[in-house]
Amino acid sequence: MSRGEYWNEEIERMAAEPRRRLENARLQEQIAYNCAHSAYYAAKLDAAGLRPGDIRAVEDLARVPFMEKSELAASQADGTLLGINQCAPIERVVRIQATGGTTGQPLRVGWSRRDTEDYGEMGARALWAMGCRPGDIVFTTMNFSLYAGGLSDHLTFETVGAASIPYGVGQSERLLRMMAAIRDPLAIWATPSYAVRLAEVAREIGIDPRSVGIAKGFFSGEAGMQVPGYREAIETTWGMRAQDMYGTGELALHSGECAHRTGLHYGGTGFAVIELIDPDSGAVLPFRDGTVGEAVYTSIRRQCCPLQRMRSHDLFQVWTERCRCGRTTFRFKVLGRTDDMMIVKGVNVFPLGIQATLMTLAPRLTGEFQVTLHRPPPIDYAVPIKVEVARDVPAAQHADLARDVVDALKKGQNFTAEVTLVPQGSIGSDKKVKRLIRAYRTDAP
Ligand SMILES: [Zn+2]
């Protein structure tokens, strides 16, 4: 079957009106279902003086209290398998995975068979937009052990029909030798920092990354692809086309960018609605071109562990004008975690902004960095930042380079930095890189 440009054309090109009708109808059903199967959700509505029938449209959600991941975590702390938002009996559950909890404890999430199919549908829309097709030979290099972003996302490549190879994390040398031994063009699904690291390993063992033959890169797990220069560096190094995607363990891999690279196309239409809120006041923000706000998720078709106004603490910037690809769903960029944002002398600083500034000093810098705050706000001191210096920069030039970094951050990001240059490869790793460490917190890693 030929699908053309879209995985699901009817949904992805739906006009705003019918989309709203679909969302509102499913929302009404979902809220009634949540309240009938979860005392926690019933109590949430009760607390606001609402009955399930009062929620008739997405706009009505503004009256429903938020849920926090910490509430779910607390409800699992006594040994309860899935906790307060479990709405389907265990006999209907076919998969249990975990997401990162706020306290570092993994949060268990269950899926019914239909939920897993819906997960695959959302992911397939994203991957198709990114150019993934049957015939692609995709090495998937995420952690399959427990987290939804591993196995479940891997299975979305199967849903699309790609020839998917579940490689997992680690053993980079073996991976490179295996890839280099295959004559056909390949694809990889990885974090951006792993692509950088893997190129390092390739050079260490005498393999030119471009000779490996990776034509397509599908990237997730970090926002690095949206940093100017970072993507280009990966594409040049490998000779690949690198596309960005996004998901969250509680919902799914749900969004990917199209060939026009105008942001991530939301692929969760019909399964979840996203509201944007002011992270401080909780007020709902108008969904307009350019709006920045924290994403709040509400499931509208979910059997096992539905989300009902779950705060993500992720900051999105959204665009609502139709993309040239013809998709009508909104597009977004992830600016970072609301708690990864730091305010230095009244200026909001995002990790992505820092990375963008550092990339202006490529190829002397790799773009990898880590900020460590030793004292709680206010940040009225030079911000300690470790910055990776490229291997071929002679040590004699490091002092000058460190001064250039301080100047660039002052000019580009409006803060004074205390820069420590660290060797290439010492920050980027197989795992998600933590960009901002609040060392003063007792729960800091
Ligand atoms: Zn597009």
Side-chain angles (χ1 to χ4, degrees):
M1 180 184 71
S2 169
R3 287 182 184 263
E5 289 300 302
Y6 315 94
W7 173 260
N8 187 333
E9 181 163 5
E10 186 190 348
I11 290 286
E12 292 175 79
R13 303 194 69 183
M14 203 175 236
E17 265 303 300
R19 186 167 65 231
R20 237 4 174 194
R21 278 200 301 274
L22 170 74
E23 288 173 345
N24 290 343
R26 288 194 175 175
L27 176 67
Q28 290 174 24
E29 266 180 49
Q30 182 80 57
I31 296 286
Y33 173 86
N34 292 354
C35 292
H37 295 91
S38 155
Y40 162 76
Y41 281 142
K44 282 276 178 194
L45 264 71
D46 261 357
L50 295 167
R51 297 156 58 88
D54 295 332
I55 311 303
R56 306 190 56 78
V58 172
E59 298 75 51
D60 299 328
L61 280 174
R63 300 160 66 194
V64 177
F66 295 117
M67 75 189 266
E68 293 281 357
K69 275 201 222 177
S70 54
E71 293 176 88
L72 295 182
S75 76
Q76 293 182 356
D78 67 354
T80 303
L81 180 65
L82 296 175
I84 45 180
N85 70 335
Q86 180 182 357
C87 289
I90 190 68
E91 291 78 13
R92 304 277 300 275
V93 177
V94 299
R95 189 183 303 163
I96 294 172
Q97 291 197 289
T99 70
T102 44
T103 58
Q105 279 300 334
L107 196 59
R108 293 179 290 274
V109 183
W111 281 271
S112 69
R113 190 168 308 282
R114 194 187 80 182
D115 292 340
T116 63
E117 289 162 5
D118 291 351
Y119 194 115
E121 167 70 20
M122 285 184 257
R125 292 175 194 170
L127 292 177
W128 197 272
M130 295 162 74
C132 184
R133 295 289 183 274
D136 286 351
I137 301 162
V138 188
F139 281 83
T140 67
T141 65
M142 294 295 193
N143 185 349
F144 295 118
S145 65
L146 178 63
Y147 291 95
L151 175 81
S152 292
D153 286 3
H154 167 84
L155 290 173
T156 64
F157 285 90
E158 286 196 17
T159 304
V160 166
S164 320
I165 306 172
Y167 190 81
V169 295
Q171 303 202 59
S172 301
E173 201 178 315
R174 179 166 165 252
L175 171 64
L176 285 162
R177 295 198 191 284
M178 191 183 295
M179 288 174 141
I182 298 171
R183 200 188 309 132
D184 308 76
L186 304 174
I188 190 170
W189 169 44
T191 61
S193 57
Y194 185 59
V196 172
R197 175 76 194 124
L198 197 60
E200 283 311 305
V201 176
R203 292 192 188 100
E204 280 164 18
I205 60 173
I207 294 178
D208 172 8
R210 295 184 77 94
S211 73
V212 176
I214 306 177
K216 292 182 182 179
F218 306 112
F219 290 97
S220 66
E222 295 160 5
M225 295 301 289
Q226 295 175 38
V227 174
Y230 199 92
R231 181 208 299 266
E232 288 72 12
I234 289 174
E235 290 190 316
T236 308
T237 300
W238 291 97
M240 68 161 68
R241 185 160 169 86
Q243 294 291 102
D244 195 15
M245 61 182 163
Y246 181 78
T248 165
E250 293 81 16
L251 179 60
L253 158 64
H254 58 70
S255 297
E257 60 181 2
C258 72
H260 301 287
R261 296 182 171 175
T262 51
L264 297 150
H265 279 283
Y266 179 57
T269 304
F271 300 113
V273 291
I274 293 184
E275 298 169 278
L276 292 178
I277 62 163
D278 177 322
D280 294 322
S281 70
V284 176
L285 302 170
F287 224 93
R288 291 200 200 107
D289 236 36
T291 302
V292 174
E294 179 187 331
V296 172
Y297 290 95
T298 298
S299 303
I300 56 174
R301 189 180 132 101
R302 184 86 170 253
Q303 290 177 326
C304 188
C305 291
L307 310 171
Q308 185 176 292
R309 294 208 96 202
M310 191 200 75
R311 292 189 65 158
S312 68
H313 299 279
D314 282 328
L315 277 178
F316 281 15
Q317 182 169 26
V318 303
W319 292 274
T320 52
E321 268 185 31
R322 183 189 292 223
C323 177
R324 275 172 292 158
C325 72
R327 287 179 179 80
T328 52
T329 51
F330 75 87
R331 291 167 282 127
F332 65 98
K333 186 163 109 174
V334 184
L335 300 180
R337 301 282 298 163
T338 52
D339 43 3
D340 275 352
M341 189 184 82
M342 56 178 177
I343 302 174
V344 187
K345 293 182 180 168
V347 178
N348 291 350
V349 180
F350 298 100
L352 269 185
I354 295 177
Q355 200 162 29
T357 295
L358 295 178
M359 287 310 291
T360 64
L361 295 173
R364 289 191 288 162
L365 301 178
T366 66
E368 301 295 342
F369 72 95
Q370 198 163 52
V371 171
T372 304
L373 301 176
H374 294 283
R375 277 181 281 148
I379 305 167
D380 50 6
Y381 48 89
V383 176
I385 178 169
K386 284 194 279 186
V387 176
E388 263 189 28
V389 58
R391 181 165 302 121
D392 49 7
V393 177
Q397 294 174 16
H398 284 194
D400 282 347
L401 179 54
R403 268 192 296 276
D404 289 347
V405 175
V406 172
D407 290 347
L409 288 171
K410 183 78 200 164
K411 211 168 110 201
Q413 300 295 317
N414 282 310
F415 71 87
T416 303
E418 183 194 312
V419 173
T420 307
L421 296 182
V422 297
Q424 179 164 357
S426 55
I427 293 176
S429 77
D430 295 359
K431 290 180 289 179
K432 287 188 187 187
V433 175
K434 183 110 180 106
R435 298 294 178 193
L436 177 64
I437 295 173
R438 296 174 203 268
Y440 55 85
R441 278 197 194 161
T442 49
D443 61 348

